[in-house]
Amino acid sequence: MSTRSKRAGGWRRRGGRLFALVASLLVLFSLLGAPGAAAGRLQPQLARMAARDPQQVVDVIVQKSVSGQLAEQTIEALGGHVTKDLHLINASAAQMTAAAAVRLSQSGAVRWVSLDAVVQPAACAQCIDNSKLANAYITTIRADKAWNASPYIQGQGIGVAVIDSGINPNGDLYTGMGVSRQVADVRFNTDHNQNTSDGYGHGTVVSSILAGDGSDSGGKYIGVAPMVNVVNVKVSNDDGSATASSVVQGLQWVYENKARYNIRVVNLSFNSSVAESYQTSPLDAAVEILWFNGVVVVVSAGNNGSAALYPPANDPFVITVGATDDRGTPALGDDLVASFSASGTTGDGFAKPDLVAPGKNIVGRLVNTNMGMAQSHPANVVSTGYFRMSGTSASAPIVSGAVALLLQDEPNLTPDQVKYRLMATANKNWAGYRADAAGAGCVDVYAAVKGTSSQSANTGLHASNLLTTGTDPITWNSVGWNSVGWNTVGWNTVGWNTVGWNTVGWNSDYWGQ
């Protein structure tokens, strides 16, 4: 073949390839539309990026409207390049300029162009920051795990009545929207102070351990149920003294208003100063009425060590809480039962406490230091507005908070099912555990919330003799809530005028070293 013929053949082959390329480009550009055309099927964020910086290189996912490689060819024609085959969704990943992505979105070969955005772990929009916690007990009982794992159990919507010396409003008891979670305030004390504020300090600290959200401390001191609603029921005078009759009045108010405020839990961080059988104690009769009507009652065991347990801690139905010393560490393994924590067998033959919770050197909100408790114990003032308290009166609100979290997660649980669940999931795996002093073990909030048991505690028990109009006690053969009309156990079934009213002491606080 002559040189001229070879050159002619080469030109024909190159011309054919050039014609094919031009034809392809014409097809592609016919699909793309005019260079100045508006963005087509394009994620708005990409369009904004292109408007700000057209030459910015972006990673995109291109969903195709047709099969074959036409979309990929269009990407290449626009100066981009395909990085991944995503045939599961009939798409490709690509890298190109933002301006080219706009042009690509106008192609008939493309269904949609979106940013290949970085994937991050799901944000915890409802989480509570526990990084600044100074209280070890929250980690010990694993409350923070319940807060910050879906469905983010923090006590929302549950009402807890704190029957105590009053509660002084503070920033820890507000929601993030500026609405107070201290939803009701009533008083039944007998001194000249006619308001519901706390002149002693005890109730404010107890409510903080139970429900404070840490706002006023910058997240250092957070309660167990930091979004729960608190009902302030003041029963003591500003010197801290109270009578059993004032407490019963407070419990009666709770009974009458539980539906209005969704009161599911009552916290009683005190004990009577007189030992008495639960069969004849007015305090025990009152807490049982609430228990039988769907309200979980949590009571401090007292600080008598191995001495007698006083009402209402001696009642077999309620949850009686003893104290541990967490030794300032979040790990449970080194914990001990606090030396002051009351334990033993009641005069009626029931082993108490039912379980334990941290109760040594627990810090809570005091609001100011001009109140009786801080004046009497200045060494326990931590800083302006905070107070360090030891005793089973600090342990009880920790368990009340645990109950609130459990009831938020499973609102249909009965008090007996709640008690069973808490005891069944309590942690016994720590060096100082002793069944005689710690009952079922240390409360484990996360285990309780994740538990599935629906069994009931308190089966086969006798209710207080005061809850019957006859001479024989009521016998509940089994606390089966579906089989008993509990609402028939009401305030009017008790002859309150016939009982003896003894004083109540705040001897659930421990002031030793």
Side-chain angles (χ1 to χ4, degrees):
M1 181 180 294
S2 66
T3 302
R4 179 178 295 179
S5 298
K6 289 180 181 179
R7 288 175 178 171
W11 281 113
R12 283 194 295 271
R13 286 192 296 273
R14 285 193 293 273
R17 287 196 294 269
L18 181 60
F19 177 81
L21 176 60
V22 171
S24 296
L25 289 174
L26 289 173
V27 171
L28 292 176
F29 284 107
S30 68
L31 291 169
L32 289 173
R41 293 166 289 278
L42 182 72
Q43 188 180 43
Q45 185 176 351
L46 264 175
R48 290 192 292 271
M49 293 172 70
R52 287 195 302 267
D53 183 1
Q55 297 309 308
Q56 177 183 357
V57 176
V58 294
D59 293 302
V60 295
I61 295 176
V62 182
Q63 297 182 56
K64 302 187 289 186
S65 62
V66 295
S67 59
Q69 296 297 304
L70 188 55
E72 286 80 2
Q73 292 172 8
T74 308
I75 292 168
E76 299 291 338
L78 289 168
H81 64 277
V82 175
T83 58
K84 297 174 185 175
D85 174 18
L86 305 176
H87 60 268
L88 178 66
I89 58 171
N90 193 30
S92 290
Q95 191 174 74
M96 59 204 319
T97 65
V102 174
R103 294 291 309 282
L104 178 64
S105 70
Q106 299 161 3
S107 169
V110 171
R111 184 187 303 276
W112 188 257
V113 181
S114 54
L115 188 66
D116 188 2
V118 174
V119 177
Q120 298 176 332
C124 186
Q126 305 174 56
C127 284
I128 293 173
D129 182 4
N130 61 357
S131 64
K132 301 179 182 67
L133 271 178
N135 271 342
Y137 71 87
I138 291 295
T139 306
T140 301
I141 65 172
R142 300 205 297 168
D144 53 335
K145 289 199 68 175
W147 298 343
N148 293 340
S150 181
Y152 311 109
I153 302 299
Q154 299 159 9
Q156 291 94 330
I158 301 297
V160 181
V162 177
I163 298 182
D164 216 291
S165 62
I167 301 173
N168 289 323
N170 58 85
D172 279 7
L173 296 180
Y174 277 76
T175 68
M177 302 299 292
V179 178
S180 176
R181 291 183 289 112
Q182 189 170 325
V183 296
D185 300 272
V186 294
R187 57 169 291 275
F188 299 97
N189 60 311
T190 58
D191 68 4
H192 65 280
N193 187 348
Q194 299 297 302
N195 60 49
T196 58
S197 62
D198 184 3
Y200 184 58
H202 191 272
T204 303
V205 175
V206 166
S207 67
S208 173
I209 296 168
L210 164 68
D213 71 355
S215 294
D216 287 348
S217 63
K220 290 177 65 177
Y221 306 114
I222 304 176
V224 178
M227 290 302 292
V228 81
N229 291 329
V230 175
V231 176
N232 171 24
V233 182
K234 181 176 180 177
V235 297
S236 84
N237 299 326
D238 287 348
D239 61 1
S241 64
T243 61
S245 58
S246 293
V247 176
V248 171
Q249 281 185 304
L251 291 167
Q252 179 173 331
W253 184 90
V254 171
Y255 172 79
E256 293 168 348
N257 292 274
K258 60 188 178 67
R260 181 178 181 182
Y261 299 105
N262 194 32
I263 302 174
R264 302 296 309 276
V265 192
V266 167
N267 186 87
L268 299 173
S269 287
F270 57 78
N271 304 99
S272 172
S273 59
V274 177
E276 189 173 8
S277 168
Y278 88 96
Q279 298 283 14
T280 57
S281 163
L283 285 174
D284 287 316
V287 296
E288 285 186 20
I289 289 174
L290 285 174
W291 189 274
F292 299 151
N293 284 278
V295 179
V296 179
V297 181
V298 179
V299 179
S300 56
N303 298 327
N304 302 314
S306 58
L309 286 102
Y310 293 81
N314 67 330
D315 192 273
F317 289 93
V318 303
I319 300 174
T320 302
V321 184
T324 63
D325 180 356
D326 63 21
R327 308 180 76 178
T329 68
L332 179 63
D334 63 351
D335 288 15
L336 301 170
V337 176
S339 60
F340 54 78
S341 183
S343 62
T345 303
T346 70
D348 297 297
F350 298 100
K352 290 284 183 173
D354 298 300
L355 43 72
V356 291
K360 187 76 178 288
N361 296 323
I362 305 299
V363 177
R365 191 80 168 90
L366 187 64
V367 180
N368 67 69
T369 58
N370 296 321
M371 294 184 284
M373 192 167 66
Q375 294 292 310
S376 299
H377 305 280
N380 291 64
V381 175
V382 175
S383 61
T384 303
Y386 288 89
F387 190 81
R388 179 181 291 107
M389 189 163 71
S390 295
T392 57
S393 62
S395 305
I398 289 175
V399 173
S400 290
V403 173
L405 298 182
L406 178 54
L407 286 173
Q408 182 195 349
D409 188 54
E410 298 179 61
N412 293 325
L413 291 178
T414 67
D416 287 317
Q417 290 172 323
V418 167
K419 182 177 180 179
Y420 185 95
R421 177 79 65 82
L422 289 180
M423 293 178 68
T425 57
N427 196 326
K428 299 180 176 68
N429 189 28
W430 41 290
Y433 171 73
R434 301 188 345 256
D436 62 318
C442 184
V443 65
D444 186 327
V445 175
Y446 187 69
V449 169
K450 293 299 180 181
T452 58
S453 167
S454 60
Q455 291 177 257
S456 293
N458 300 335
T459 58
L461 298 183
H462 294 274
S464 166
N465 282 355
L466 294 179
L467 300 189
T468 177
T469 56
T471 57
D472 297 324
I474 298 171
T475 301
W476 310 114
N477 293 323
S478 175
V479 185
W481 291 76
N482 293 327
S483 60
V484 179
W486 295 105
N487 291 331
T488 61
V489 181
W491 228 257
N492 295 329
T493 63
V494 180
W496 296 107
N497 293 329
T498 64
V499 302
W501 300 107
N502 300 308
T503 59
V504 173
W506 305 107
N507 55 357
S508 290
D509 302 318
Y510 177 74
W511 304 113
Q513 298 299 316

